[in-house]
Amino acid sequence: QQQQQQQQQQQQQHSGQQSVPGHRAFVDTFSTTFELSWARGRDQRRELLSACPEGEDPLVLSREVEKNALDAAAAAAVAAARAVAAAARAAAVERAEQPQAGLQAWDNAWARESGPLLRQWREAAVSGELPLAAPGEEGGEARAEQLGAALASASAAAKSAADDATAAAAAALAASQPATTECAA
């Protein structure tokens, strides 16, 4: 029974983490950035290991090279994940302010605008541009501007779609009303 309680607590904690704005973006970005960084460093690791100086233990060198590569991949992954999670939190706030009729347009515009932006941030982290300041942090002004432009585009799309829906509803209502004619007495 105690084991069941511990499992339930872990599940509740895990589900609580998933409801935190930006959690999913952080996890996904961390994973993809780490994998990208690790894969890109593969050739460099091989070169370092093949050039093992005579008299140096290849196993010690291998462990050192791997540790350094893991540290670099983790640093890049954390930096990109923090920036993307900050963007996801800002997007969640902005999306919550949109009219219901415009949410699909907001989602489509956000996906179109944010995708290249977030990939650019991940690429910067993998390329070693660290620290990678998140929007709203010192040094993150350029990312904040990029994020602001993406959010503005998504909000404009939502407003336009909501306005179109309102106009369509008004036209449908007008069309469903019987025409009134005034009779002269």
Side-chain angles (χ1 to χ4, degrees):
Q1 185 176 11
Q2 185 179 12
Q3 186 178 12
Q4 286 178 335
Q5 288 175 339
Q6 287 175 338
Q7 287 176 340
Q8 286 175 342
Q9 287 175 343
Q10 288 174 343
Q11 287 173 346
Q12 288 171 349
Q13 185 179 24
H14 183 66
S15 67
Q17 289 173 343
Q18 289 181 343
S19 67
V20 173
H23 176 264
R24 186 84 224 145
F26 183 94
V27 171
D28 290 346
T29 303
F30 182 93
S31 297
T32 57
T33 305
F34 187 92
E35 291 298 324
L36 180 62
S37 181
W38 181 256
R40 285 206 184 150
R42 187 170 289 125
D43 290 339
Q44 182 184 16
R45 290 190 303 275
R46 283 187 191 131
E47 287 176 24
L48 289 170
L49 293 174
S50 67
C52 181
E54 191 153 330
E56 189 168 340
D57 185 348
L59 184 58
V60 170
L61 178 62
S62 175
R63 287 182 180 158
E64 183 180 328
V65 167
E66 187 173 290
K67 180 193 178 312
N68 291 341
L70 288 170
D71 289 347
V78 167
R82 286 182 63 249
V84 169
R89 287 189 300 274
V93 169
E94 187 73 21
R95 186 181 189 279
E97 296 174 1
Q98 303 309 312
Q100 183 67 34
L103 287 180
Q104 185 62 49
W106 192 96
D107 290 343
N108 292 341
W110 173 248
R112 183 180 60 252
E113 297 291 326
S114 67
L117 174 67
L118 303 180
R119 282 190 294 278
Q120 176 190 13
W121 295 356
R122 182 176 52 238
E123 185 64 38
V126 169
S127 297
E129 295 178 29
L130 300 173
L132 184 70
E137 293 180 348
E138 185 178 334
E141 294 82 9
R143 285 181 191 79
E145 286 179 27
Q146 292 171 323
L147 175 60
L151 290 172
S153 177
S155 293
K159 183 181 181 328
S160 177
D163 290 348
D164 290 349
T166 300
L173 180 63
S176 71
Q177 299 296 321
T180 56
T181 56
E182 290 186 29
C183 297

